[in-house]
Amino acid sequence: MNPASRESSPSVSGALLPLLVFGLAFTAAYAFAMSFTSAAAAPLWFPDSILLCALLLNRPRRWPLYLLAPLPIRLLVAVAPGTPLWFLLATYANDTVKALLAAVLLRLALKNPRRLNGVQDLSQFVAAAVFFAPGLSALAGAATRAGLGSPFWPSWRQWFLGDALANLVLTPAILSWFFAGDWWRRVGMRRLAEGAVLALGLVGAGWLAFDGHLQTPYDLLVLFYAPVPFLLWAALRFGLRGASGALCVITSFAIEAAEHHRGPYFGQHPELSILSLQLFLMVIGLSVLFLAVMVEERDRNARSLHDAERRYREILDSQTDLVCRYLPDTTLTFVNGAYCRYFGRSREQLVGHRFLELLPESARAAKRREIAELAANPRLEVVEHRVERPDGSEAWQQWINDAVIGPDGRVVELQGIGRDITDRKRAEEAREMLALASRLALVGEITASIAHEINQPLGAILFNAEAAEMGLAAGSLDPGELRRILEDIRKDDLRASEVIRRVRSLLRARSLEMQEVDVNRLAADVVDMVGADASRRGVTLRTELDPEPAVVHADRIHVQQALLNLVVNGMDAMAGTEAAKRCLTVATSRNPDGAVEIAVRDVGPGLEPDVLPRLFDSFFTTKKQGMGLGLSLCRSIAEAHGGSIVAENNDGAGATFRFRIPGNGGVRGAGPRV
Ligand code: ADP
C-alpha cells in the first residue's frame, strides 16, 4: 500500500459509512413513500427530507455523492409498473434540485445549518426548506405530471404539501435527535420520567385521534384535537427536540391512519381527507415548532442573563470598594460583598433596610441633607468625609455618588461607590507636615541669609564711617571727600535695606514676581553695586556681555540676589590670590537651546573634588564665618525659574559658576515659591 492510499483510507471509510447509512435510510423512506396507495402522491414525501439532512450534515464537496446515490435507488426500488423512464428521471432531477436549493439557501442563511437556534433560524428554515424550494419544485413536478395527464394545480398542491410537510416534520427531528451533540448524557431521571409520560400520552392521544374505532362525528371532532395538549407540552418543556419528536409520533399515526383508510376524515373523498390531514399537520407543526424555539430562546436568554448577572455580581463582590444602591429614603436595594464585609452583616440583613441606621447618630443629618440634594439635583459627586468604623475606630472614606434616573426622568435610585482612603489621608497629612517643616527650614535659611547679605554693606558703612572720623580727627577731610564717603554710606545702607525688604517680601509671599528682565542690564547693575567692595579687596571686575539684549522672564530681585552671592563668593575665593591677578568676570550669553546663562568666573583656588558634591547643600561652608546658605539659595532661585546652576573648575586657575534661565523665561505668572 502506498503512503497516499494509506493516508486516504480513513477518510474513504469515514465518508463511506455515512453514505451507506444514508442509502439505507433513503431506500426505506423511498420504498415506504412509494407504497402509499391511497392518493396520487404520498401525504409526506420523506426521502428528500433525508437527502436534505445529509446535505446539511456534510461539506459541499461531498454533496455530489449524496445527490447521485438516490438515482439507482429510485430506478430499482418499488417503481410502479408502467411508469415511464423519462418521468422517473424528471422527478429525480426535480427532487435533487429541490434538496440542493434548500441546502444552499440554508448554508448561506444560517450560521450553523445543523442546528436551528431560535426564531430567526427556524423562520429561515421554514422559508427556504418548507415553502420556497418545495413550492418551486412542485411547479416543475406538476408540469411533469401534466405530461401524464394529471391536472396542474391539484398536482402542485399535493406535491408541495407532501414535500413541505416532510421537511417541516422530519428534518428538524432528524437533526435535533441524532446530530445535536450527546444531549442524552445530560438527561436526568426526572426529565426522563417526564419524557416517558409525555411519550405515553402522545401515543394514547394519537391512537384516540387516528385509530378510527370511534366513528361518531362528535367523538371524531373532539378526539381529533387530543394530541394538541401533548404537542404543546413537548414544545414548552422539551424544546425543538421534544416538539419535533412529538410531531413525528403524531404524524406517524396520521399517516398510518390515512394509509389504512381510517381516521377522522374517512368516508369523505380520499383526496380531501389527505388534504385535511396535511393542513392539520402543517398548521399545528408550524405552531409547535415556533413555540418550541421561542421557549428555547427565552430560556437561553434567561440563562445568559442569569449568567451575566452572576458574573457581574462576582466581579462586584470581589471589589474592595463598597458598592450600594438605595432609595432616596436610604433603603438599600443592592449591596456588594465589600459593603457587607465592611458593616459585618449579610446581604439579607442589609437589603431592604435603611443604611442611615448604620451610620453614627452624629453623621445622619448631614447624610440626609446630602442625599436630598443629590436627589433634587442629580449629578455625579465625589465626597470625602470622616467616618466611624463599625468597630468604633475613625477612618476616612471617599464616596462617588450618582443618581439613577428612570425612563420618566425622575430619580429612581441613588448609587454610591465608597472606598477607605484613610491611608491616603494620613499620607497627605504627613506630606503637609513635611511641607511645613521644609517651609520652616527655608525661613531659617532666608533669615540666616539676611546676616550673610547685610554683613558686607554694614562692614562697608563702618569702614567709611571710621575713615570719615579719622579724616575729621586729622583735619584732613575736605567736603568733597566727606560727600563721597557719605554717598558710599548711603549706597551701602540702601543695599542693606533692599536686601531686608526682599527677604521680608520673600517671607511674606515667597512667590516670584515675574517680569521681562534684561540679564545684561542686571549683570552690569550687580557689578556696579559691588564696585566699591571689589576695589577695597583689590579685585578687578570685568564684564563680557552678550551683544544681543538677553531678555528673560524672571524675578529681577531674586536673580540679582543669586548673582550677588556668586560675585561675593568669587571675590572671597580670591582672597589668597596674588593681588595683581585678582580678577572676576561676569559673562552673559545665550545657549543654543535659547537659555540665557550668567557665568561668574574667578581665578581663585577653584573647587576641591570633595567640595563639589556638597557645594549646593544648605549649611555647607568652608569659611570661618560662612553660613553655607548662599549657593543653596542660588540653586533654589535657579530651579524656581525652571533653570539650573552648575559649578566647574576653569582650565587655568579658579572656578566658574553658571546660572541658567530657560529661553522661554522659565516659569510664568505668579510662579512657584522659592
Ligand atoms: P558661604 O559663602 O556662607 O560659605 P555658600 O553656599 O555661598 O556659603 O558657599 C558654600 C561653599 O562653597 C563655600 O564655603 C566655599 O567653600 C565654596 N565656594 C563657593 N564659591 C566658591 C568659589 N568661587 N571658589 C571656590 N569655592 C567656592
Side-chain angles (χ1 to χ4, degrees):
M1 191 190 274
N2 66 33
S5 67
R6 211 182 305 140
E7 259 175 39
S8 63
S9 61
S11 84
V12 167
S13 72
L16 268 182
L17 191 66
L19 189 63
L20 204 67
V21 173
F22 163 73
L24 287 174
F26 187 89
T27 309
Y30 189 73
F32 176 72
M34 292 303 284
S35 71
F36 205 86
T37 52
S38 64
L44 264 88
W45 184 252
F46 301 127
D48 295 339
S49 304
I50 292 169
L51 177 59
L52 177 59
C53 286
L55 296 183
L56 293 179
L57 291 168
N58 281 284
R59 299 231 172 86
R61 67 189 162 83
R62 289 204 177 146
W63 285 5
L65 284 177
Y66 289 90
L67 293 171
L68 283 171
L71 181 59
I73 298 169
R74 292 174 77 127
L75 290 178
L76 296 174
V77 177
V79 179
T83 311
L85 184 65
W86 69 264
F87 181 81
L88 281 177
L89 290 176
T91 48
Y92 160 73
N94 186 357
D95 288 345
T96 307
V97 171
K98 174 186 64 188
L100 188 63
L101 182 64
V104 168
L105 289 175
L106 290 175
R107 267 188 85 89
L108 291 177
L110 302 181
K111 220 191 281 166
N112 177 5
R114 295 162 169 222
R115 183 169 299 188
L116 300 174
N117 253 343
V119 174
Q120 195 183 345
D121 281 7
L122 184 63
S123 307
Q124 281 164 345
F125 173 82
V126 167
V130 177
F131 288 109
F132 184 67
L136 219 59
S137 154
L139 286 178
T144 321
R145 279 214 194 135
L148 292 181
S150 303
F152 187 84
W153 285 113
S155 284
W156 180 88
R157 197 184 55 220
Q158 274 182 349
W159 193 291
F160 166 71
L161 282 173
D163 282 350
L165 206 52
N167 276 354
L168 180 72
V169 171
L170 206 59
T171 311
I174 294 176
L175 292 178
S176 63
W177 279 84
F178 301 109
F179 299 98
D182 50 357
W183 53 268
W184 59 89
R185 286 180 205 276
R186 297 187 302 274
V187 179
M189 278 313 287
R190 287 180 64 169
R191 206 137 170 79
L192 212 60
E194 186 184 344
V197 174
L198 172 63
L200 279 177
L202 272 168
V203 172
W207 182 77
L208 276 180
F210 299 108
D211 182 62
H213 295 299
L214 306 169
Q215 291 292 330
T216 72
Y218 288 109
D219 288 345
L220 287 175
L221 210 56
V222 172
L223 292 174
F224 190 59
Y225 293 97
V228 174
F230 293 97
L231 288 169
L232 293 178
W233 178 3
L236 291 174
R237 295 278 301 152
F238 293 88
L240 187 66
R241 195 173 298 123
S244 59
L247 263 179
C248 282
V249 173
I250 295 302
T251 306
S252 319
F253 273 102
I255 300 284
E256 214 265 340
E259 171 68 353
H260 295 99
H261 300 272
R262 295 194 309 266
Y265 291 91
F266 184 68
Q268 295 175 12
H269 192 277
E271 297 275 323
L272 203 58
S273 176
I274 294 283
L275 182 61
S276 315
L277 200 65
Q278 284 174 321
L279 287 178
F280 168 78
L281 290 174
M282 194 80 173
V283 171
I284 201 83
L286 280 172
S287 311
V288 294
L289 289 184
F290 271 103
L291 183 67
V293 288
M294 273 159 126
V295 169
E296 272 183 352
E297 204 163 57
R298 195 203 57 189
D299 287 352
R300 238 191 338 267
N301 288 344
R303 254 196 318 276
S304 70
L305 204 69
H306 183 262
D307 285 353
E309 200 185 309
R310 208 196 52 229
R311 201 171 317 131
Y312 287 128
R313 194 181 278 272
E314 279 168 5
I315 292 170
L316 273 178
D317 279 349
S318 65
Q319 297 294 304
T320 49
D321 287 359
L322 320 183
V323 182
C324 66
R325 281 204 168 186
Y326 50 92
L327 301 177
D329 69 353
T330 82
T331 303
L332 288 163
T333 55
F334 173 85
V335 290
N336 75 336
Y339 195 97
C340 298
R341 286 191 293 278
Y342 185 84
F343 288 103
R345 295 178 188 215
S346 69
R347 194 164 271 131
E348 292 70 36
Q349 287 172 314
L350 289 166
V351 172
H353 296 85
R354 294 178 184 204
F355 75 78
L356 214 59
E357 287 148 26
L358 301 172
L359 302 185
E361 188 73 52
S362 54
R364 292 184 191 172
K367 194 73 201 171
R368 240 187 246 114
R369 264 201 311 281
E370 194 185 291
I371 291 171
E373 205 174 296
L374 189 63
N377 181 15
R379 69 198 178 279
L380 191 80
E381 65 164 25
V382 182
V383 287
E384 290 180 1
H385 50 71
R386 246 180 241 278
V387 291
E388 195 183 310
R389 286 203 184 107
D391 64 3
S393 62
E394 198 180 66
W396 275 89
Q397 278 184 348
Q398 182 197 63
W399 282 91
I400 301 170
N401 295 325
D402 200 1
V404 183
I405 312 288
D408 58 353
R410 292 228 301 258
V411 174
V412 194
E413 276 188 333
L414 295 128
Q415 175 179 287
I417 302 175
R419 63 179 58 165
D420 192 290
I421 53 161
T422 314
D423 289 345
R424 200 196 80 197
K425 278 285 172 190
R426 290 207 177 120
E428 271 174 21
E429 275 167 16
R431 230 183 0 254
E432 269 167 30
M433 294 290 286
L434 214 65
L436 185 68
S438 68
R439 186 163 177 260
L440 286 175
L442 192 72
V443 168
E445 277 182 25
I446 290 167
T447 313
S449 79
I450 298 173
H452 183 75
E453 299 303 330
I454 281 182
N455 232 4
Q456 283 148 8
L458 283 182
I461 289 169
L462 186 65
F463 175 80
N464 279 320
E466 280 171 358
E469 245 172 28
M470 273 158 55
L472 282 173
S476 62
L477 194 67
D478 63 69
E481 180 75 352
L482 185 63
R483 198 174 301 117
R484 199 183 55 73
I485 288 174
L486 287 175
E487 194 162 313
D488 273 359
I489 288 176
R490 197 160 55 100
K491 246 192 194 162
D492 286 332
D493 186 276
L494 281 176
R495 207 176 106 201
S497 54
E498 174 61 17
V499 170
I500 290 170
R501 195 192 68 75
R502 272 316 290 163
V503 171
R504 281 177 62 194
S505 79
L506 276 181
L507 282 175
R508 227 184 11 253
R510 294 190 21 251
S511 65
L512 300 177
E513 281 169 24
M514 307 300 273
Q515 53 185 287
E516 298 292 301
V517 175
D518 180 354
V519 175
N520 283 344
R521 254 312 280 287
L522 191 132
D525 282 354
V526 169
V527 167
D528 204 30
M529 221 182 268
V530 294
D533 194 20
S535 64
R536 223 177 10 261
R537 295 170 182 244
V539 172
T540 313
L541 291 176
R542 282 176 46 194
T543 50
E544 288 173 8
L545 302 181
D546 193 331
E548 298 291 318
V551 178
V552 287
H553 201 70
D555 182 308
R556 155 181 278 283
I557 304 295
H558 274 103
V559 178
Q560 187 173 307
Q561 185 76 38
L563 195 50
L564 257 174
N565 273 334
L566 299 179
V567 169
V568 171
N569 273 351
M571 293 197 299
D572 284 350
M574 291 187 295
T577 308
E578 198 185 321
K581 290 188 180 163
R582 283 179 209 154
C583 175
L584 187 117
T585 311
V586 177
T588 59
S589 60
R590 198 174 268 280
N591 288 353
D593 62 358
V596 168
E597 182 179 286
I598 311 170
V600 179
R601 197 161 59 235
D602 63 64
V603 290
L607 303 158
E608 292 295 326
D610 60 321
V611 163
L612 270 171
R614 294 180 295 154
L615 204 57
F616 296 98
D617 290 354
S618 295
F619 305 113
F620 170 74
T621 180
T622 57
K623 298 173 195 168
K624 253 195 193 144
Q625 270 113 33
M627 296 286 294
L629 289 168
L631 287 181
S632 94
L633 201 66
C634 285
R635 191 175 58 179
S636 299
I637 292 170
E639 285 173 358
H641 284 80
S644 62
I645 180 168
V646 289
E648 64 200 22
N649 281 317
N650 299 332
D651 285 344
T656 300
F657 284 78
R658 299 180 188 282
F659 183 95
R660 291 186 192 122
I661 302 175
N664 64 7
V667 183
R668 300 204 166 258
R673 287 151 182 221
V674 179

